[in-house]
Amino acid sequence: MNKARNFWGWGNIEDISNPNEVDLLRSLVTNTFSVEGSLMPYPNIDDIVLPENSLKIPNALESISTDSKYERALHTRGRSFIDVTRSLSGDFASAPDFVIYPENENDILFAMDWCAERNCALVPFGGGSSVVGGLELKLGERERFEGVVSLDLGKMNSMLELDKTSRTGQFQGGMLGPKIEDDLRRNGLTLRHFPQSFEFSSLGGWIATRAGGHFATGITHIDDLVESIQVVSPIGIYETRSLPASGAGPDPNRLFMGSEGSLGVITSAWMRLQDRPIYKVSYSALFDSFKSGVDAARELVQSGLAPSNCRLLDPLEAFINGAGNGAKAVLIVGFESGDHSVEHLERRSIEIVKQNGGEISGKKEGETWKSSFIRAPYIRDTLIRLGVIAETFETAVKWNKFDEFHNAIIDNVTKGIEKVAEGKGLVTCRLTHLYPDGSAPYFTVLAKARPGSEISQWMEIKELASQTILDNGGTITHHHAVGRDHQKWYKSEIPEHIYKGFEALKHHFDPHGILNPGAVINL
Ligand SMILES: Cc1cc2nc3c(=O)[nH]c(=O)nc-3n(C[C@H](O)[C@H](O)[C@H](O)COP(=O)(O)OP(=O)(O)OC[C@H]3O[C@@H](n4cnc5c(N)ncnc54)[C@H](O)[C@@H]3O)c2cc1C
């Protein structure tokens, strides 16, 4: 049975929390956050009011376009806490006028010409999982245009070629994670890029946002898996060369990585693949303090052992995911290979973990964590419906700054929760990605929402968190991208002349300024 994509929240509507899960979450949040715990009903598509279409689908695009209410609602925005909160409240005022499902590059070029002629904004759409306002024009931006059109790559979803000798494959940009892996599994290969949003995000979206997969060390960002890309921009169609490496000048692929649909549409890419792992080992270790877990994680990632997974959860993060008792930090470590056994690597890693005070505890925590991780987005939506602010933010920082950085974030966000939610909330941390020179801490905030003020409450916390990140040497995003929500922080992170260079690129590739206006580079 084909499941139906949820137009107001994460994933498929059939998979939202069942009554048992709702009851369980309710009992947790009423005690912990003093919320009343009544479950907000979710909107029915028939009751949603959309703005009148200001654009009519042109004849030439009729066979590949739709302006059905459901499709317009589904393509209105991404899936952040703010997005879901607004959708639950029935606010679809920014819905696109219609949605195009191109079948090839020429369809896209035609759509771009049409939009440029009529001064319409065209927003590339992959899986729709943006959490940074990447898909919705802001009030004020929208008014500059005659209308807004969503360009969903969902029909460009095939593996085009496989080169087993070079272990690379060419995939269309609209392929979602599961389809890529299904096609590769049959050939004993894997892309091995697993963001939490894997099921509902696309290859083109990953490249456009520089996504991070969930193997905590080694190749993390999609960037390093990209060999070449094909892009359609309003000025033409072009393809970069497929090479194992090149030292020739600025890397043309990198111009488009992280451009978030503002310079062109990534229609296909040659990707570096790997053999499917056959040899796998994993274990968890418990630490009395987060700090000793951090020291162990740093030593492990600097040891050259290259664990495929090495994820540290602070005690509270472990507890809320059912992977700990709330007193100990949990480190989940794994090794894998498609070629050789990895037990010797595990043995040496255990020595390092023990030297840092870790107590080896088997596989249970890792397995519980994994299932909780996959279910988490659905649980997030239910928490929102139960009256809880539930959102995350992430960053990366060098090891030499880590302790101060982490303390500052926890202190300031706790103060924020004190101010906006009477202290009824919590902030947790996990290290999602590790590098020899630093790590990517990921923070989860849960707090009591005041009905009607949820968004302003969260914005206040987010503002505080973002300023603390920047003040203490972190980046505004390790993998969630810039979109519109992170723009002012992004601008303050990079040198002014480089930002101006990006503006010039935007003018060059998108002379009429119709492509995802306001995303990343605000002109
Ligand atoms: C529950 C949840 C978990 C998440 N977990 C992770 C995670 O683990 N790692 C991570 O990195 N991110 C994560 N994200 C964020 C999001 O999934 C990523 O940013 C992802 O890469 C977006 O891909 P998408 O196909 O859904 O793109 P969309 O959300 O559809 O689009 C994102 C941006 O890319 C542009 N775009 C989309 N497709 C193309 C294309 N073909 N060409 C040009 N531009 C395009 C859009 O215009 C938009 O600006 C998560 C989000 C959610 C809601």
Side-chain angles (χ1 to χ4, degrees):
M1 185 193 79
N2 273 347
K3 294 182 175 176
R5 283 292 295 276
N6 181 352
F7 71 89
W8 56 264
W10 177 251
N12 293 316
I13 195 72
E14 289 86 348
D15 294 327
I16 66 171
S17 294
N18 62 26
N20 289 340
E21 192 169 75
V22 172
D23 284 345
L24 179 70
L25 292 170
R26 178 184 287 120
S27 68
L28 292 174
V29 301
T30 45
N31 290 334
T32 317
F33 306 122
S34 311
V35 295
E36 190 215 316
S38 55
L39 186 69
M40 178 195 291
Y42 58 80
N44 185 312
I45 192 68
D46 296 330
D47 302 332
I48 293 291
V49 180
L50 296 188
E52 283 284 304
N53 309 37
S54 45
L55 298 171
K56 200 171 141 356
I57 300 174
N59 290 343
L61 289 171
E62 206 163 2
S63 62
I64 54 166
S65 304
T66 168
D67 59 3
S68 84
K69 201 172 176 187
Y70 168 77
E71 289 283 344
R72 290 179 65 203
L74 182 68
H75 290 83
T76 301
R77 54 175 67 98
R79 292 295 180 267
S80 68
F81 163 73
I82 293 180
D83 294 330
V84 175
T85 303
R86 288 174 60 207
S87 295
L88 277 169
S89 76
D91 170 8
F92 286 86
S94 56
D97 293 286
F98 64 90
V99 182
I100 306 176
Y101 281 94
E103 289 171 2
N104 54 49
E105 282 72 16
N106 286 331
D107 287 346
I108 299 177
L109 212 46
F110 184 88
M112 286 176 176
D113 283 348
W114 188 86
C115 285
E117 261 173 38
R118 281 158 191 79
N119 187 34
C120 299
L122 188 68
V123 182
F125 188 102
S129 67
S130 168
V131 282
V132 291
L135 294 164
E136 185 184 8
L137 270 69
K138 277 192 171 155
L139 277 178
E141 278 165 6
R142 203 185 160 91
E143 283 60 44
R144 290 170 32 217
F145 296 92
E146 297 303 313
V148 176
V149 179
S150 176
L151 185 87
D152 187 322
L153 279 271
K155 284 197 178 152
M156 295 180 70
N157 69 346
S158 300
M159 181 167 77
L160 300 174
E161 247 185 276
L162 193 60
D163 169 359
K164 283 195 173 179
T165 310
S166 316
R167 229 176 45 185
T168 57
Q170 190 188 24
F171 305 86
Q172 286 187 303
M175 284 181 93
L176 301 187
K179 174 91 166 40
I180 297 175
E181 285 301 322
D182 286 349
D183 286 0
L184 288 175
R185 193 175 297 111
R186 286 192 277 278
N187 292 283
L189 295 168
T190 174
L191 178 62
R192 204 173 171 277
H193 181 76
F194 298 107
Q196 188 183 29
S197 53
F198 173 76
E199 212 181 337
F200 300 105
S201 56
S202 68
L203 178 69
W206 296 341
I207 299 173
T209 59
R210 305 186 59 204
H214 270 270
F215 283 101
T217 68
I219 293 179
T220 293
H221 282 109
I222 193 77
D223 312 16
D224 299 322
L225 297 172
V226 175
E227 203 184 48
S228 68
I229 49 174
Q230 185 177 59
V231 180
V232 181
S233 286
I235 55 166
I237 304 178
Y238 26 84
E239 193 169 356
T240 62
R241 293 186 66 204
S242 280
L243 292 165
S246 167
D251 182 346
N253 291 328
R254 300 250 168 203
L255 287 186
F256 294 95
M257 290 180 191
S259 62
E260 301 184 43
S262 68
L263 299 181
V265 177
I266 298 158
T267 51
S268 68
W270 275 95
M271 303 298 294
R272 302 187 171 106
L273 306 172
Q274 300 178 50
D275 291 333
R276 296 190 79 76
I278 314 167
Y279 302 92
K280 293 185 187 181
V281 292
S282 63
Y283 66 91
S284 312
L286 306 181
F287 291 86
D288 286 337
S289 70
F290 188 55
K291 164 96 178 81
S292 47
V294 169
D295 291 341
R298 177 170 44 79
E299 223 176 289
L300 272 175
V301 75
Q302 290 176 343
S303 68
L305 289 172
S308 57
N309 205 2
C310 188
R311 182 176 301 265
L312 180 68
L313 319 178
D314 77 9
L316 205 48
E317 172 80 15
F319 179 67
I320 62 173
N321 285 286
N325 63 6
K328 304 232 178 193
V330 177
L331 183 68
I332 300 162
V333 183
F335 292 91
E336 58 178 49
S337 166
D339 176 69
H340 48 262
S341 82
V342 285
E343 268 93 6
H344 62 295
L345 303 173
E346 181 186 41
R347 273 196 301 280
R348 173 64 192 132
S349 76
I350 287 176
E351 286 172 10
I352 294 175
V353 165
K354 285 184 173 168
Q355 277 157 15
N356 283 281
E359 173 199 331
I360 307 302
S361 79
K363 288 177 188 287
K364 189 168 63 65
E365 288 83 1
E367 279 158 14
T368 314
W369 157 256
K370 195 172 164 193
S371 46
S372 157
F373 181 68
I374 292 165
R375 190 70 204 141
Y378 289 105
I379 289 180
R380 189 265 324 243
D381 287 0
T382 305
L383 290 175
I384 298 172
R385 293 173 62 207
L386 285 167
V388 176
I389 295 166
E391 187 53 299
T392 62
F393 61 93
E394 42 79 57
T395 174
V397 67
K398 289 177 73 163
W399 288 121
N400 68 340
K401 301 196 171 92
F402 183 84
D403 293 341
E404 246 175 76
F405 179 88
H406 173 259
N407 292 340
I409 300 275
I410 298 289
D411 284 355
N412 284 350
V413 172
T414 304
K415 281 182 199 145
I417 293 171
E418 195 63 51
K419 182 165 172 233
V420 306
E422 305 145 19
K424 304 272 192 272
L426 54 87
V427 51
T428 70
C429 178
R430 63 182 192 245
L431 301 188
T432 57
H433 299 88
L434 303 179
Y435 303 91
D437 51 343
S439 69
Y442 185 104
F443 297 87
T444 299
V445 175
L446 300 174
K448 180 180 179 172
R450 280 192 313 279
S453 305
E454 306 86 344
I455 293 179
S456 59
Q457 285 176 280
W458 167 246
M459 298 274 279
E460 208 167 320
I461 295 173
K462 172 79 178 173
E463 187 80 16
L464 206 57
S466 302
Q467 193 56 52
T468 310
I469 285 174
L470 272 284
D471 288 349
N472 288 274
T475 170
I476 192 60
T477 177
H478 169 264
H479 58 264
H480 277 171
V482 173
R484 293 171 178 81
D485 298 354
H486 286 158
Q487 210 168 67
K488 82 170 173 187
W489 311 106
Y490 172 61
K491 201 169 175 181
S492 74
E493 265 194 37
I494 58 170
E496 192 190 338
H497 283 295
I498 295 185
Y499 192 86
K500 287 210 156 88
F502 292 158
E503 286 180 344
L505 281 176
K506 171 79 176 162
H507 282 305
H508 174 74
F509 286 105
D510 180 23
H512 300 284
I514 54 155
L515 272 185
N516 207 4
V520 195
I521 304 293
N522 196 5
L523 289 179

